[in-house]
Amino acid sequence: MSDDITVRDNPDLNRYEARIGGAVAGFSVYQRAADRITFVHTEVSPKFEGKGVGSAIARYALDDVRATLGEGSVVAQCPFIKAWIDRHPDYQSLVQPG
């Protein structure tokens, strides 16, 4: 992952955004409820593919969710977020049972 990727939550747009040099390099759209967050779509700009943008978004977003909502609070409808969680066992406890 590149050191120049910054990720932040943009609640006005319901998405976590990754920026490189001030430009939006990618984002993950979510729907938030009181006890859970549903990730519905993640997209990385073709210009920034292969630079670790998607992984930076997933890690930051899931760490943020862990800190704010706790375990069992993620619904991974987004195929990218689901696959990322599947590859990182330490994040699997975030997935909502059922």
Side-chain angles (χ1 to χ4, degrees), residues 13-73:
L13 295 178
N14 292 319
R15 68 186 197 177
Y16 286 91
E17 296 176 339
R19 294 180 176 268
I20 297 177
V24 175
F27 56 86
S28 187
V29 178
Y30 61 78
Q31 297 170 341
R32 214 178 263 273
D35 62 343
R36 73 181 172 281
I37 186 168
T38 302
F39 288 95
V40 294
H41 176 71
T42 301
E43 189 172 318
V44 174
S45 170
K47 177 180 177 182
F48 297 108
E49 286 180 355
K51 298 182 186 285
V53 172
S55 290
I57 294 168
R59 186 175 305 280
Y60 180 94
L62 294 170
D63 286 345
D64 188 52
V65 170
R66 179 174 274 148
T68 58
L69 296 176
E71 304 297 316
S73 57

